Amino acid sequence: MLTLTRAVRVFACAQPVDMRKGFDGLSAVVEQQLGGQLLKGDVFLFVGRCRRRAKVLYFDGTGLLLLTKRLFKGRFARPWVQAGAPSVELTVAELSLFLEGCELAGRWKLSPPAFEEKELAVAHAA
């Protein structure tokens, strides 16, 4: 089970990925196609073309975790609806909804934007 805070950034690959790929293949996709860095602690979501399988790749500080889910009924949502973008950014809550089969996750923002420090300063000043 992943225990992630809202500060963790989640990126869904905006292209279908060959679900035969493992740690090394998906790491290469992160670095070469998405321009990401696994060792920063970001979470990366990959979905196969048929959308029955999804994989989550994550570095927890000691090693890589690869979570795989295969649906027996239905399909995962398409996270690659934004044309031209290499990835779609999700919140941790949206990732959870996505893995539970929510069809809206990855297509529309379902979570409010993160609170920023300057917003806190304005709120305290008032």
Side-chain angles (χ1 to χ4, degrees):
M1 182 53 129
L2 290 175
T3 305
L4 304 171
T5 66
R6 187 166 165 95
V8 173
R9 296 178 65 191
V10 179
F11 298 96
C13 185
Q15 299 291 325
V17 174
D18 182 353
M19 287 289 103
R20 296 174 292 181
K21 292 182 187 277
F23 290 101
D24 296 330
L26 293 175
S27 296
V29 170
V30 167
E31 293 174 7
Q32 295 170 5
Q33 293 180 10
L34 305 181
Q37 295 177 349
L38 278 172
L39 302 181
K40 288 177 60 178
D42 295 335
V43 175
F44 296 90
L45 169 68
F46 305 93
V47 179
R49 186 172 303 284
C50 73
R51 298 184 0 245
R52 293 204 186 271
R53 294 176 192 242
K55 292 187 177 185
V56 176
L57 187 63
Y58 171 64
F59 180 74
D60 71 350
T62 61
L64 285 176
L65 296 167
L66 183 60
L67 172 70
T68 303
K69 184 165 184 178
R70 178 178 65 186
L71 294 178
F72 291 106
K73 288 186 177 184
R75 295 176 191 265
F76 287 109
R78 287 184 185 98
W80 50 80
V81 294
Q82 294 180 1
S87 65
V88 176
E89 190 165 357
L90 306 174
T91 64
V92 172
E94 289 168 340
L95 173 65
S96 180
L97 287 170
F98 182 90
L99 292 174
E100 289 181 15
C102 178
E103 294 182 14
L104 300 177
R107 300 180 128 191
W108 290 284
K109 283 299 199 189
L110 301 175
S111 298
F115 218 53
E116 299 206 13
E117 287 185 39
K118 65 180 178 182
E119 292 174 3
L120 285 174
V122 170
H124 287 301

